[in-house]
Each structure stands twice: as structure tokens, then as C-alpha cells.
């Protein structure tokens, strides 16, 4: 099973709406972004308070958005491909995902940070 598993809990034979695809994107991509940031913040705080190593804790806290961005950059194009393979119309998917701040607008600098899926 490819990672991330966007089909988890959703029958693969059921037609997919734009709403369902965007909701699944929030659940799989953005929820993980918040988990990564929260966990690394807690670890960094723990390193400062328990181990007494403020520099190391600061580095861990600063790494949180970078690591979360790497996750977003990896998962987002795979989510798009999954939604398109399930029959979701690409233009409508982009429009709704932009409105809900799941993806960046087309042509925006940050859109180019997605790790594209290369096909032969």
C-alpha cells in the first residue's frame, strides 16, 4: 500500500466528490502537519526544561516547520494524484483546496515546493 494511504476507511469503489477529497486532504496532510509541529515543539520544550539544553531545544523547535513542510511537500502531490485517479475534476479540486488553504494558488512560489511525482 503506498504511503500515505488516502483510501483508509473510504471504499475504493465509491465515487469521490471534491468535498470528500478535500476533507481527506485535510485529514491526512494538514492533521499530520499539526502533529509534527506539536510533537517537535513539545520535544524541544522538554529538552530545554528537563535536560537543560536551551540551544538543542531551540534547534528542535525551529526544525518543526521545516519538517512539517517536507511532509506537506511530499503528501500534497500524492493526494492530488489520488483524487484525480478517483475521478475528481482537477480544476474544481484546485479551486476548493485553495479556498480551504490546503494548497497554494497556481503559480504561487510555494506551490513549486511540492515534490512532484515523476512518471515515465
Amino acid at each position: 500500500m503506498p504511503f500515505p494511504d488516502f483510501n483508509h476507511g473510504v471504499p475504493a469503489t465509491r465515487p469521490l466528490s471534491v468535498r470528500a477529497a478535500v476533507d481527506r486532504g485535510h485529514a491526512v496532510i494538514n492533521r499530520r502537519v499539526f502533529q509534527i509541529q506539536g510533537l517537535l515543539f513539545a520535544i524541544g520544550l522538554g529538552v530545554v526544561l528537563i535536560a537543560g539544553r536551551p540551544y538543542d531545544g531551540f534547534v528542535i523547535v525551529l526544525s518543526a516547520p521545516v519538517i512539517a513542510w517536507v511532509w506537506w511537500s511530499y503528501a500534497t502531490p500524492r493526494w492530488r494524484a489520488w483524487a484525480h485517479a478517483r475521478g475528481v475534476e482537477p480544476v474544481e479540486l484546485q479551486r476548493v483546496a485553495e479556498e480551504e488553504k490546503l494548497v497554494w494558488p497556481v503559480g504561487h512560489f510555494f506551490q513549486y515546493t511540492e515534490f512532484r511525482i515523476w512518471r515515465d
Side-chain angles (χ1 to χ4, degrees):
M1 184 62 61
F3 180 78
D5 182 12
F6 293 104
N7 280 322
H8 182 73
V10 178
T13 57
R14 189 179 103 197
L16 193 65
S17 67
V18 171
R19 173 82 267 139
V22 170
D23 288 348
R24 182 51 55 126
H26 282 300
V28 175
I29 299 170
N30 283 351
R31 185 177 301 153
R32 185 70 43 89
V33 164
F34 294 127
Q35 289 170 342
I36 290 167
Q37 289 183 335
L39 178 65
L40 288 174
F41 180 79
I43 290 170
L45 189 60
V47 167
V48 170
L49 297 176
I50 296 168
R53 300 180 65 156
Y55 177 77
D56 293 340
F58 183 68
V59 169
I60 292 169
V61 168
L62 286 181
S63 72
V66 173
I67 293 169
W69 196 285
V70 168
W71 164 254
W72 179 89
S73 295
Y74 171 82
T76 299
R78 284 149 184 82
W79 165 76
R80 284 183 208 276
W82 168 79
H84 296 165
R86 294 285 306 268
V88 177
E89 202 277 311
V91 173
E92 185 66 11
L93 180 67
Q94 178 69 28
R95 185 188 66 76
V96 174
E98 279 180 24
E99 286 176 1
E100 297 206 8
K101 309 298 186 216
L102 180 60
V103 300
W104 293 97
V106 173
H108 191 283
F109 171 76
F110 289 136
Q111 179 195 21
Y112 299 108
T113 64
E114 293 179 16
F115 300 155
R116 301 284 182 201
I117 301 171
W118 300 100
R119 304 237 189 257
D120 292 0

